[in-house]
Amino acid sequence: MARDYAADIADPIAREIVTNVGVWVDREVKPVASHYEHADEFPEPLVKGMSEMGLFGIKIPEKYGGLDLTFECYAGVCMELARGWMSLAGIINTHVLVGYAISEYGTEEQKQKYLPRLVEPEIRCALSITEPDAGSDAQAIKTTARRDGDDYIINGQKMWVTNGQRAGVYLVLTKTDPEAQPRHRGITAFLVDAGTPGFTPGRKLEKLGYKGVETTELTFDDARVPASQVLGGKEGRASST
């Protein structure tokens, strides 16, 4: 290894996990990373290996089947994965962040619905914030969600969505109050399931690097999403996530 990322981790369990990931990276990832990168091929065997180590559930509470480890441990895991091939860290990163958002801010119904399915994972996650005119300034998003009875109607476009074609659930930031001041008060996060009418994972975007993990655009054209899919159950809480 070029560096022992586990050395500075205090918790012995976390240290062992990061060490084991590093050994796996040297044995399984580094010999094949160049092939997957140049072929722009999704690395199914490597994803299976990450799943078998429990990495997709690393931040999910134990009561839902996860490992519930620290962010220090997770950071060490991501550094080891990226040491072998950056795309592996990308494949797991948005999944872990969405799972963490659900575990921290979701309703109990949302936790029961999703978290056990994210551990193996039965379904994968994508985080959808960026838009054609909004990158690092998340407050500038234009995708809107309008209340319509027991549902919301979402319209807009998202860009550069990692895992965009393979996800089963998308954490999508929208504007429910475009006139709110400060602007972040009008942002609401939704858990949008794959297959929702009016929601389309778009084309795969070509990149110079960071291959093997797809990056896509998303389109919402009067997508009807139940109000129960608002993360945390209340509008305007996306500024807390």
Side-chain angles (χ1 to χ4, degrees), residues 6 52 72 104 157 179 187 199 208 210 217 222 229 239:
E52 291 172 347
E72 182 183 37
E104 286 292 301
Q157 183 183 16
E179 305 303 319
I187 296 177
F199 165 54
L208 292 177
Y210 192 40
E217 57 187 8
D222 287 339
Q229 295 297 101
S239 58

Side-chain angles (χ1 to χ4, degrees), residues 42 124 161-167 204 207 212-216:
F42 187 77
R124 299 244 316 280
V161 181
T162 303
N163 295 323
Q165 292 179 333
R166 298 173 185 271
K204 179 179 176 181
K207 299 167 292 187
V213 53
E214 80 276 12
T215 304
T216 72

Side-chain angles (χ1 to χ4, degrees), residues 88-107:
L88 291 184
I91 288 171
I92 194 174
N93 188 49
T94 55
H95 181 93
V96 170
L97 292 179
V98 173
Y100 177 75
I102 295 172
S103 68
E104 286 292 301
Y105 305 106
T107 65

Side-chain angles (χ1 to χ4, degrees), residues 59-82:
K59 286 300 299 174
I60 292 175
E62 291 181 1
K63 67 180 290 187
Y64 302 103
L67 297 178
D68 198 17
L69 295 171
T70 64
F71 272 111
E72 182 183 37
C73 178
Y74 175 57
V77 166
C78 282
M79 288 189 288
E80 285 290 3
L81 293 175

Side-chain angles (χ1 to χ4, degrees), residues 178-191:
E179 305 303 319
Q181 292 295 330
R183 292 179 296 165
H184 67 270
R185 296 289 185 187
I187 296 177
T188 300
F190 286 82
L191 297 169

